[in-house]
Amino acid sequence: MSKQFQFKLVLLGESAVGKSSLVLRFVKDQFDDYRESTIGAAFLTQTVTLEDQTTVKFEIWDTAGQERYKSLAPMYYRNANCAVVVYDITQSASLEKARNWIRELQRQADPSIVIALCGNKSDLSARRQVSEEEAKKYAEEEGLMWAETSAKTGEGVSEIFTAIAKKLPLTAPPSARTGAGRAPTGPKSVDLNKQPAGQNSNEPYWLFIKVIHQLYSINSYAYNKSLS
Amino acid sequence: MNPSRTHSAKFQAFKKVYDHLFHSTSSVSKIRDSALADRLLDYTNDSMEVLGRSLVWKYFLIADEPLKSTSNVVKPETLLRSLQSSRKRYADLLSQKMIAPDGSYPEGFVVPGCSSPSPRRDNPFLDLERNNPLSLHNDNPWTEWFAAQELRKMIAQDVERTFPEIDFFRNTGVQDQLTNVLFLYSSMNTSTGYRQGMHELLAPLYYAVDVDSLLDTHESHLISELCSKIWVAADAWALFESIMCFASRWYEWRENPSTYALPSPLSNHVQLNPDGQAQIKPYIAPIVQDCNQIQATLLHTTDPLLWKHLQSSGLEPQIYGIRWLRLLFTREFSMSDAMRLWDVLFACDPTLDVVPWVCVAMLIRIRNLLIPGDYTVQLTSLLRYPTPVLPLDSTNTVHHTSLLIRQALALQLAPTPSTGVSVVAENRNLLDIPMEVPEPPSTSRRKGPQFTATRNRSSPTHARQQSSQPPGGLPEMLGGLFERGESLNINKTLMSAVTELKRNIPELAASFVRSPLQSPSIPMTVERQSQQSDERPPWEPKSRRELEREMAELRANDKLLGESLSWVVDTLLQDEDTSQDPQRLKKRKQEALESLSYVRDVLINGITEIEDERLYGEAELANRKYKAREPTQAREASLVHAHTLEMPKPAPAPVADTRPRISGNNRGHTTAISSSSLNAPWSPNTARLAPWNYTKSSFSIDGSLPATTLPRLPPPTSDNFQRSHIGPGPSQVISSPTKAPPKRDRTPDPLGVLK
């Protein structure tokens, strides 16, 4: 009775806001004080089981934060079902970057994408520069999910992913609800790589047969001729 | 580093490397050879800390130009001179960049080469109107200064978390030095600037120099000068600069603001899914070019099978390539392994030209994971590159990362599949990696569900039937031979002879079948021989014939797309207000937009395999299928299969065809005429006399032919099998419309021998 869904999730946000740490907490329930900066992107998977025994498997693309690599990001958010845009509550500039990402997603990504805005490092609220109200208001205006998390303490991390999982099957297009049926990761969409005609490899075989057939035709012609 | 190692012991170990490098009989090529054989440095304790490493790196990367040519002896004095000049440059540049406009240095900053903090340099001629932090003057030097501080902050953010698991890099002194070097580099190279990843390229260099550094110069030896503790950062900078000469292209990036431009009249009221838009870029970053080259060209020429599997799962090479190239593999291996790779890399190719080939060698090494794996497995193995588990008794064999460089050099020298095979064989011999690719867990790896667009076009059911045919047959056999030949390392001449033979078989057969009167100038529009180009080794050029065929395919594709677009336009032009069923119309408009974006993707990405289902909305598709069936039935009745690329589409708009002969033959009325004239002699009634008479027209009787009546028809002819070939597949020479009518007239004596 349990249903299975598979979704592509992409993490976006400024450098050093804690995207990789958030994923590490979610996937392995670990935290490192120093996390090496992501180059290119990292790929992880994690499955969430909801109360109704539905399982949601996230294919997580953790991207590099540096602004300069932004042009590369479409490769990762293309066909994504959900995006977690992360900012650092102790850096108001990071919320600005998050807004840019959200604008880009709204413009460029799949229209049905579920976007969650996530204020990380809530354990450092003493150094807070972004108030909860400000972020929440913005999220409401844009119709985004919003939460504050702390990858360090684990606070709010699994909650936001579970919330996304709950929201997803309802908002995703019907085809996505068949779970594994629609693999949302690149290859299904525009398949540049479809190999041409496997069956063609048998062609000479058939040509060979046809040659024989032709010989039969000649034969039969002679046969008919001899009859007439 | 290692407290147990005394200073003089360190010096002795160090001197051994020094003597090796600068021995009177050593030449650069000799040193290179011993580096390639892992004999240059002492790797016995298998840690990151290898004495003399930085000296070797300096030897290959920093010494002056003459070094780059072979058989040159490098004198330690030459190297020292180069080092001294770069050290001086570093000190000058850094103090120049670090000084604030008021002549002060940041707190704790020590000018390189000095032992005490730098004194404030007072500038008595300060123009305070302009030069003060609060001045709004345009030329205020402080603006630049503050920007530089921002840059430093950004660099420090990454340096702080460089190699988190290595304690050495948690030292704030080290972090400051790394930041200085990166800061200097990025302010000297403003076009590239600082990019994430540079810090991890610098860190191992700095580490190696630091491990080798000698604090005091009590032994007045050149070694102490070459590896002076005072100049660690400067030497690391010199090494970094030298590497970045060639690696900086992988960091080059230009944001392209025009990506979002392209205003479309639709975008005002409709949110399109523009996932293809990002690709309309005039600028392609060099790293993306290189990544594509690695997979599409280099891998393709050396391991076509692996390439095919990576392509078919849609794996984009940037996903792994960016990190591999930018960090020169430091994240793919343990630090000590990665540094051993660098030892050989810098010795063999300081210009880093071989690096893309190292990527290819890495791909080939894990082909047993990549080929049977699905997209997720492939991703996982590429992004978490597995360390080979070495057999225990292999202590004296070559190290697995330096082996990669050797393989890369071999591949670079002779980029052919046979070199690829020899790499695979080497991996088996040295790393115990089996040569046979394991079978994938579920479906067979060679026969995927592969459809061509043209087949899909005629009818999707056919495509499915065709793909489900049993394996076997001549090319299959030859393909096997080809592969076996490769694995036995048969030389290239024989291999290409086999390929040649394999390629020529269809052509040979076709020429035999062709009737003598048939004009060779008939374009090959419908002669589908795509398997020739598929199986052709990449080093052979395309024939004119194939080019013509490709052109014809392109034209047919264009027409398909055009038809789709005309439907999209028609749909979008329908007025919602006047429609009886606005809800439905809305849905159809949505479908039209989806089709439109698909067409755009096809055009942008140059997709040749068009998926019909995506060209039209559901209702329209059903409609078209229904319409398409009628003419098909008519043709079947007339026993003529006019298979044309555009035929199944009952296109409302006539499309100008530059070649009236084909289009004439393809049109319904022509076939009707020819069929009426042909019907009589070939009707089953007249042909019933001899059982083999069936064979004359067997290629046009769709599956209705009793297979059993075919005398000695080679192996298994299930219903399915037969229909898939005899049925409406445009792949057959005989069933091609351009030739069918004349042939029918002449089949009685196709070779003219009975006259």
mmCIF file of all heavy atoms in Angstrom, chain A residues 160-177:
data_model
loop_
_atom_site.group_PDB
_atom_site.id
_atom_site.type_symbol
_atom_site.label_atom_id
_atom_site.label_comp_id
_atom_site.label_asym_id
_atom_site.label_seq_id
_atom_site.Cartn_x
_atom_site.Cartn_y
_atom_site.Cartn_z
ATOM 1 N N ILE A 160 12.058 20.589 7.740
ATOM 2 C CA ILE A 160 11.821 21.294 6.472
ATOM 3 C C ILE A 160 11.810 20.321 5.298
ATOM 4 O O ILE A 160 10.984 20.437 4.387
ATOM 5 C CB ILE A 160 12.830 22.449 6.258
ATOM 6 C CG1 ILE A 160 12.396 23.271 5.033
ATOM 7 C CG2 ILE A 160 14.251 21.959 6.026
ATOM 8 C CD1 ILE A 160 12.776 24.700 5.077
ATOM 9 N N PHE A 161 12.660 19.303 5.368
ATOM 10 C CA PHE A 161 12.647 18.338 4.269
ATOM 11 C C PHE A 161 11.352 17.532 4.283
ATOM 12 O O PHE A 161 10.783 17.223 3.236
ATOM 13 C CB PHE A 161 13.872 17.418 4.348
ATOM 14 C CG PHE A 161 15.138 18.096 3.887
ATOM 15 C CD1 PHE A 161 16.026 18.645 4.805
ATOM 16 C CD2 PHE A 161 15.430 18.211 2.541
ATOM 17 C CE1 PHE A 161 17.192 19.277 4.384
ATOM 18 C CE2 PHE A 161 16.585 18.847 2.107
ATOM 19 C CZ PHE A 161 17.470 19.382 3.033
ATOM 20 N N THR A 162 10.882 17.187 5.481
ATOM 21 C CA THR A 162 9.621 16.454 5.564
ATOM 22 C C THR A 162 8.474 17.315 5.051
ATOM 23 O O THR A 162 7.591 16.833 4.331
ATOM 24 C CB THR A 162 9.351 16.033 7.014
ATOM 25 O OG1 THR A 162 10.554 15.484 7.538
ATOM 26 C CG2 THR A 162 8.249 15.016 7.087
ATOM 27 N N ALA A 163 8.509 18.594 5.402
ATOM 28 C CA ALA A 163 7.449 19.488 4.942
ATOM 29 C C ALA A 163 7.432 19.565 3.420
ATOM 30 O O ALA A 163 6.370 19.558 2.796
ATOM 31 C CB ALA A 163 7.649 20.875 5.547
ATOM 32 N N ILE A 164 8.620 19.606 2.839
ATOM 33 C CA ILE A 164 8.700 19.626 1.378
ATOM 34 C C ILE A 164 8.130 18.334 0.813
ATOM 35 O O ILE A 164 7.346 18.334 -0.125
ATOM 36 C CB ILE A 164 10.169 19.816 0.916
ATOM 37 C CG1 ILE A 164 10.661 21.200 1.304
ATOM 38 C CG2 ILE A 164 10.291 19.620 -0.591
ATOM 39 C CD1 ILE A 164 12.152 21.391 1.135
ATOM 40 N N ALA A 165 8.530 17.223 1.435
ATOM 41 C CA ALA A 165 8.046 15.924 0.963
ATOM 42 C C ALA A 165 6.526 15.876 0.988
ATOM 43 O O ALA A 165 5.894 15.340 0.074
ATOM 44 C CB ALA A 165 8.628 14.811 1.818
ATOM 45 N N LYS A 166 5.946 16.457 2.046
ATOM 46 C CA LYS A 166 4.483 16.435 2.152
ATOM 47 C C LYS A 166 3.844 17.303 1.083
ATOM 48 O O LYS A 166 2.784 16.991 0.575
ATOM 49 C CB LYS A 166 4.052 16.933 3.536
ATOM 50 C CG LYS A 166 4.179 15.895 4.607
ATOM 51 C CD LYS A 166 3.706 16.472 5.924
ATOM 52 C CE LYS A 166 3.912 15.489 7.050
ATOM 53 N NZ LYS A 166 3.873 16.177 8.355
ATOM 54 N N LYS A 167 4.497 18.387 0.793
ATOM 55 C CA LYS A 167 3.905 19.318 -0.148
ATOM 56 C C LYS A 167 4.058 18.825 -1.587
ATOM 57 O O LYS A 167 3.241 19.141 -2.444
ATOM 58 C CB LYS A 167 4.572 20.684 0.008
ATOM 59 C CG LYS A 167 3.822 21.781 -0.721
ATOM 60 C CD LYS A 167 4.266 23.143 -0.302
ATOM 61 C CE LYS A 167 3.478 24.201 -1.061
ATOM 62 N NZ LYS A 167 3.988 25.531 -0.851
ATOM 63 N N LEU A 168 5.084 18.053 -1.824
ATOM 64 C CA LEU A 168 5.429 17.727 -3.200
ATOM 65 C C LEU A 168 4.386 16.970 -4.012
ATOM 66 O O LEU A 168 3.978 17.450 -5.052
ATOM 67 C CB LEU A 168 6.757 16.970 -3.231
ATOM 68 C CG LEU A 168 7.939 17.879 -3.508
ATOM 69 C CD1 LEU A 168 9.215 17.126 -3.289
ATOM 70 C CD2 LEU A 168 7.864 18.408 -4.920
ATOM 71 N N PRO A 169 3.954 15.820 -3.550
ATOM 72 C CA PRO A 169 3.072 15.049 -4.437
ATOM 73 C C PRO A 169 1.798 15.803 -4.778
ATOM 74 O O PRO A 169 1.186 15.552 -5.791
ATOM 75 C CB PRO A 169 2.758 13.795 -3.625
ATOM 76 C CG PRO A 169 3.867 13.708 -2.639
ATOM 77 C CD PRO A 169 4.226 15.120 -2.322
ATOM 78 N N LEU A 170 1.422 16.743 -3.922
ATOM 79 C CA LEU A 170 0.201 17.491 -4.168
ATOM 80 C C LEU A 170 0.406 18.553 -5.234
ATOM 81 O O LEU A 170 -0.507 18.876 -5.971
ATOM 82 C CB LEU A 170 -0.260 18.156 -2.875
ATOM 83 C CG LEU A 170 -0.570 17.188 -1.757
ATOM 84 C CD1 LEU A 170 -0.855 17.937 -0.482
ATOM 85 C CD2 LEU A 170 -1.733 16.301 -2.145
ATOM 86 N N THR A 171 1.603 19.082 -5.273
ATOM 87 C CA THR A 171 1.809 20.178 -6.204
ATOM 88 C C THR A 171 2.484 19.744 -7.490
ATOM 89 O O THR A 171 2.414 20.428 -8.483
ATOM 90 C CB THR A 171 2.670 21.273 -5.557
ATOM 91 O OG1 THR A 171 3.811 20.630 -5.014
ATOM 92 C CG2 THR A 171 1.907 22.006 -4.499
ATOM 93 N N ALA A 172 3.146 18.608 -7.442
ATOM 94 C CA ALA A 172 3.856 18.172 -8.637
ATOM 95 C C ALA A 172 2.851 17.753 -9.694
ATOM 96 O O ALA A 172 1.737 17.366 -9.379
ATOM 97 C CB ALA A 172 4.778 17.006 -8.301
ATOM 98 N N PRO A 173 3.209 17.846 -10.948
ATOM 99 C CA PRO A 173 2.291 17.423 -12.007
ATOM 100 C C PRO A 173 1.976 15.954 -11.875
ATOM 101 O O PRO A 173 2.766 15.187 -11.336
ATOM 102 C CB PRO A 173 3.081 17.704 -13.287
ATOM 103 C CG PRO A 173 4.502 17.807 -12.864
ATOM 104 C CD PRO A 173 4.479 18.323 -11.480
ATOM 105 N N PRO A 174 0.806 15.531 -12.355
ATOM 106 C CA PRO A 174 0.337 14.163 -12.134
ATOM 107 C C PRO A 174 1.366 13.111 -12.523
ATOM 108 O O PRO A 174 1.501 12.100 -11.863
ATOM 109 C CB PRO A 174 -0.878 14.055 -13.050
ATOM 110 C CG PRO A 174 -1.264 15.429 -13.388
ATOM 111 C CD PRO A 174 -0.097 16.313 -13.190
ATOM 112 N N SER A 175 2.108 13.394 -13.582
ATOM 113 C CA SER A 175 3.048 12.386 -14.033
ATOM 114 C C SER A 175 4.109 12.098 -12.985
ATOM 115 O O SER A 175 4.614 11.002 -12.900
ATOM 116 C CB SER A 175 3.714 12.826 -15.331
ATOM 117 O OG SER A 175 4.323 14.084 -15.137
ATOM 118 N N ALA A 176 4.414 13.110 -12.197
ATOM 119 C CA ALA A 176 5.450 12.918 -11.194
ATOM 120 C C ALA A 176 4.957 12.046 -10.055
ATOM 121 O O ALA A 176 5.739 11.480 -9.322
ATOM 122 C CB ALA A 176 5.897 14.250 -10.634
ATOM 123 N N ARG A 177 3.651 11.971 -9.910
ATOM 124 C CA ARG A 177 3.142 11.226 -8.760
ATOM 125 C C ARG A 177 3.305 9.738 -8.926
ATOM 126 O O ARG A 177 3.151 8.984 -7.990
ATOM 127 C CB ARG A 177 1.670 11.543 -8.576
ATOM 128 C CG ARG A 177 1.489 12.957 -8.145
ATOM 129 C CD ARG A 177 0.109 13.162 -7.656
ATOM 130 N NE ARG A 177 -0.284 14.530 -7.893
ATOM 131 C CZ ARG A 177 -1.486 14.971 -7.680
ATOM 132 N NH1 ARG A 177 -2.418 14.143 -7.275
ATOM 133 N NH2 ARG A 177 -1.776 16.218 -7.891
#
